[in-house]
Amino acid sequence: MKSSIPRSRRAVTAVALGSVLALAATACGDDGSGGAGDKGGEGSGKGTITFWDNNGGVRTDIWKRIIADFEQKYPDIKVRYVGIPAASAQSKYDTAIQGGGLPDVGGVGTAMLAEVAAQGALEPLDSRLEKSPLNGKLSRNLLDVSKAAGGGDTLYQVPTSANNGTLWYRTDLFKKAGLDAPTTWSTFYEAADKLTNTGKNEFGFTIRGGEGSIAPALDAVYGQTGITSFWNGDKTTVNDPKNVAALEKYVALYKKNTPSADVNNDFTKMVAQWDSGTIGMLSHNLGSYQDHLKALGKEKFRGIPNPTLDDGTRVQVSNPVDGLSLFKSGKNKAAAWKFIEFAVSAAENSKFNESAGQVPANTDAAEDAWIQSAEPTKLAAEALNGGNTKIVQLPYYLPDWNTISKSDNEPNFQKVLLGKLSAKDFLDTLADQLNTAQADWKKNH
């Protein structure tokens, strides 16, 4: 049965775009205060530019350090910093697109990139990057994610950092059981079974059944089947028979090799449960590293990229990528582009990602000492940039992606875990929604 798709996100985009077309292009000075319809200009390459941080508060201190470094190198450019909480960044951009007041440069993550680009607010960056010292220095896989998230083949975001799916496992429990590291899906399932002793409340794995469950489930599914594209023409591959079989195998772990509480657990509860010491493996991203260190100490666990196929091929779904965008209405694009180049240079990109605990987009930064000593981040960087890694691009560009992957289907995934909905029916429903959203997007683009 096909589920209806809420249109709220599409409505926001349509209203914003209509408002932009109704606006007269007016000159608003050199501080990036134009609307999306303004053409802007290169400017003198000097003066003041405005930068919006899309994770204000969390990243304020590190951005102010980078800005201070930039202003020391370019004393004739001043950066006006505006910190915006992550939860309100999308609405802040939408409001500015409609009414004016966009920055010269801003943080735009892949989750919102297509909507902002579709409203005509962003400057294409391909030709600028080709002429830049950054050319050839950025992760090719992350650039591909940025382009795909923008809705096509145009680069609207210079990636700064990425997270990555990580399989955390208890080295002490594995050693005691005589198990090899769970580097392949075969060894993963073997370990999940062997480490389970329900009588002692010991489990091989903890599965995410609560909020945020869809992306890790898709990561496990595509990782097992080796299917490397989310689309086959205009139809999604999500309900390919191989993916159905992979999901059936994955959800069969629930209650057999996982705690029953997992059906409601988000990442916070999963991490706390795993850190308590009776579970062998946890699939989460790099963000929980410090929690594990505090709870377990460095010698009792490792974090490795999610398992590969038996032949070593790694297939994983795309993780959200953060990055910097240049706004079309800016009156001093030359200075704003200098800021982007500086912020994503090896030294500054390394500094930013050491603070954020994420993988640098600059491949030279990925060689720095801090990342070499943080094994989970080092392995994640190698996986993201590895020649054997195939990334399945999730359709972040679809206005309904967040609704489909969260409110529509997280409850359905819980039904699958509880045996109230088959894996096939779950994936068929998800596929119907995605195919409808894709057709609607293509019709309007």
Side-chain angles (χ1 to χ4, degrees):
M1 181 178 71
K2 185 181 295 185
S3 299
S4 62
I5 303 173
R7 304 288 174 135
S8 57
R9 298 295 283 170
R10 190 178 303 120
V12 169
T13 303
V15 169
L17 185 56
S19 299
V20 167
L21 294 174
L23 286 173
T26 57
C28 298
D30 296 330
D31 60 354
S33 58
D38 294 341
K39 292 183 179 180
E42 288 301 303
S44 64
K46 301 178 182 180
T48 299
I49 59 172
T50 299
F51 165 60
W52 283 8
D53 172 12
N54 61 326
N55 199 1
V58 177
R59 303 280 185 251
T60 296
D61 288 346
I62 185 59
W63 273 120
K64 287 192 171 181
R65 285 174 58 197
I66 291 171
I67 289 168
D69 291 346
F70 176 76
E71 291 179 341
Q72 184 176 9
K73 182 173 181 178
Y74 297 99
D76 52 359
I77 303 175
K78 299 299 177 186
V79 180
R80 181 185 296 122
Y81 171 88
V82 180
I84 303 168
S88 58
Q90 174 72 64
S91 61
K92 179 78 170 175
Y93 281 124
D94 285 340
T95 300
I97 288 169
Q98 295 177 57
L102 286 166
D104 295 278
V105 58
V108 181
T110 47
M112 70 176 82
L113 184 63
E115 288 192 34
V116 178
Q119 296 176 76
L122 301 180
E123 181 84 0
L125 300 176
D126 299 271
S127 61
R128 292 180 190 267
L129 184 59
E130 285 176 10
K131 303 169 188 174
S132 170
L134 292 177
N135 191 24
K137 297 294 185 180
L138 303 180
S139 165
R140 174 47 54 190
N141 278 338
L142 294 192
L143 284 170
D144 288 345
V145 172
S146 294
K147 284 190 175 184
D153 297 324
T154 302
L155 184 69
Y156 290 109
Q157 176 215 59
V158 175
T160 56
S161 53
N163 221 318
N164 202 53
T166 301
L167 184 64
W168 304 96
Y169 74 97
R170 291 287 305 272
T171 50
D172 55 343
L173 299 182
F174 270 69
K175 183 178 180 180
K176 183 179 178 181
L179 290 166
D180 294 329
T183 55
T184 66
W185 285 104
S186 298
T187 54
F188 165 82
Y189 281 108
E190 178 189 356
D193 195 54
K194 193 165 184 179
L195 292 172
T196 298
N197 186 333
T198 54
K200 294 184 177 180
N201 203 36
E202 296 172 351
F203 299 95
F205 184 55
T206 174
I207 194 170
R208 188 167 182 167
E211 183 181 357
S213 61
I214 303 302
L218 292 179
D219 211 3
V221 164
Y222 280 95
Q224 291 176 77
T225 62
I227 294 172
T228 58
S229 177
F230 198 78
W231 301 102
N232 181 9
D234 292 331
K235 301 297 183 183
T236 181
T237 59
V238 75
N239 62 336
D240 183 283
K242 292 179 181 178
N243 281 345
V244 172
L247 184 61
E248 288 172 342
K249 186 173 184 179
Y250 185 66
V251 298
L253 294 171
Y254 175 64
K255 288 181 75 172
K256 175 176 175 283
N257 301 121
T258 81
S260 59
D262 279 354
V263 69
N264 293 312
N265 283 351
D266 59 11
F267 86 90
T268 304
K269 293 173 183 174
M270 286 171 56
V271 168
Q273 186 173 258
W274 190 72
D275 287 345
S276 70
T278 59
I279 301 173
M281 295 177 290
L282 160 73
S283 184
H284 188 236
N285 57 44
L286 295 168
S288 53
Y289 182 41
Q290 295 300 324
D291 292 321
H292 306 327
L293 277 177
K294 291 175 185 175
L296 301 172
K298 194 173 183 178
E299 302 305 318
K300 290 186 178 180
F301 75 96
R302 283 184 75 202
I304 61 176
N306 283 336
T308 70
L309 298 171
D310 286 341
D311 66 2
T313 301
R314 185 182 307 285
V315 178
Q316 60 184 60
V317 300
S318 56
N319 278 264
V321 172
D322 210 2
L324 298 173
S325 294
L326 191 66
F327 284 81
K328 193 176 289 185
S329 61
K331 305 302 188 292
N332 201 347
K333 292 175 188 172
W337 179 248
K338 283 181 185 177
F339 178 70
I340 291 177
E341 286 184 318
F342 182 84
V344 195
S345 65
E348 300 302 317
N349 192 230
S350 177
K351 187 182 300 181
F352 177 85
N353 282 285
E354 183 176 12
S355 171
Q358 294 186 317
V359 178
N362 191 304
T363 53
D364 287 344
E367 300 300 320
D368 282 0
W370 73 267
I371 201 169
Q372 298 304 309
S373 63
E375 186 192 39
T377 310
K378 175 178 180 285
L379 294 176
E382 290 173 352
L384 278 172
N385 298 319
N388 284 335
T389 299
K390 312 294 183 185
I391 295 182
V392 179
Q393 303 292 351
L394 295 181
Y396 298 120
Y397 59 87
L398 292 177
D400 293 317
W401 168 247
N402 285 337
T403 300
I404 292 171
S405 64
K406 292 185 70 64
S407 56
D408 282 4
N409 283 289
E410 286 177 358
N412 281 347
F413 186 67
Q414 290 180 314
K415 291 178 183 178
V416 176
L417 292 177
L418 294 171
K420 297 179 179 179
L421 183 69
S422 72
K424 183 178 187 304
D425 286 346
F426 168 74
L427 290 178
D428 282 346
T429 298
L430 178 59
D432 282 346
Q433 293 173 315
L434 289 164
N435 291 337
T436 300
Q438 175 76 348
D440 187 70
W441 184 84
K442 293 193 79 170
K443 180 180 177 181
N444 291 289
H445 293 79

